[in-house]
Amino acid sequence: MSASNSKILVLNGPNLNRLDLRDTNTYGSMNWEQLVTFINSCAKELGLEVEVKQSNSETEITESLQGAAQSHTPVIINPAAFTHYSYAIRDAVELIKAPVIEVHLSNPMAREEFRHTSVVSGVANGTIAGFGPNSYHLALIAMSKLLSK
């Protein structure tokens, strides 16, 4: 599978649509619309096509992941708060045979102890965290490499 003929699902969990209200020291100064524009720009620069989605619903995220599994779509996922406890999302990620990369704007390991556990990491190809919006850029670079193998 080449990177040029595969659309990548960039799936984001709860509260990322309200970055404008969140702590800028933790999440940076981009709002949701700016983050989506940044992700699309990075993808275009790499010759990748992305679909960026966000949901506050565990059910919707699970259904999007099941759809990606069905269509063999690669996924970059920021599960947000669901990272730490959603076994439904974890199990849906496990269904995906295409590459999956977990991303986080902040570094969960540098935050509260409850954020130190990711139930998703064990079923993803890798995790990129702590680089703000550049976490997505780095994930797109990594995905491009995975898809070109």
Side-chain angles (χ1 to χ4, degrees):
M1 175 186 306
S2 78
S4 61
N5 67 5
S6 183
K7 182 180 257 188
I8 298 163
L9 174 61
V10 181
L11 188 56
N12 296 274
N15 298 311
L16 286 161
N17 62 319
R18 294 316 313 254
L19 288 171
D20 58 316
L21 299 177
R22 300 192 79 183
D23 179 8
T24 57
N25 292 324
T26 302
Y27 298 101
S29 60
M30 280 189 189
N31 65 31
W32 171 247
E33 291 78 18
Q34 291 167 327
L35 180 61
V36 171
T37 299
F38 177 77
I39 293 167
N40 279 307
S41 174
C42 292
K44 184 176 181 181
E45 170 189 307
L46 294 164
L48 301 170
E49 186 180 353
V50 294
E51 177 185 9
V52 182
K53 294 171 75 174
Q54 185 279 332
S55 178
N56 296 315
S57 166
E58 185 177 26
T59 301
E60 287 179 19
I61 293 169
T62 300
E63 289 172 350
S64 290
L65 291 166
Q66 289 175 355
Q70 182 69 32
S71 62
H72 306 288
T73 300
V75 175
I76 294 171
I77 183 170
N78 182 342
F82 291 135
T83 301
H84 316 294
Y85 66 90
S86 177
Y87 297 110
I89 289 173
R90 182 223 182 268
D91 290 349
V93 168
E94 190 174 27
L95 298 173
I96 300 170
K97 302 309 176 209
V100 177
I101 298 173
E102 177 186 7
V103 299
H104 298 283
L105 292 166
S106 68
N107 178 358
M109 295 303 289
R111 299 184 61 199
E112 304 93 336
E113 189 172 342
F114 74 88
R115 296 186 194 275
H116 295 183
T117 298
S118 169
V119 299
V120 175
S121 291
V123 292
N125 290 75
T127 301
I128 299 171
F131 298 100
N134 282 318
S135 292
Y136 290 90
H137 190 191
L138 294 167
L140 286 164
I141 292 168
M143 185 64 79
S144 178
K145 302 288 186 193
L146 289 171
L147 295 175
S148 66
K149 286 186 177 179

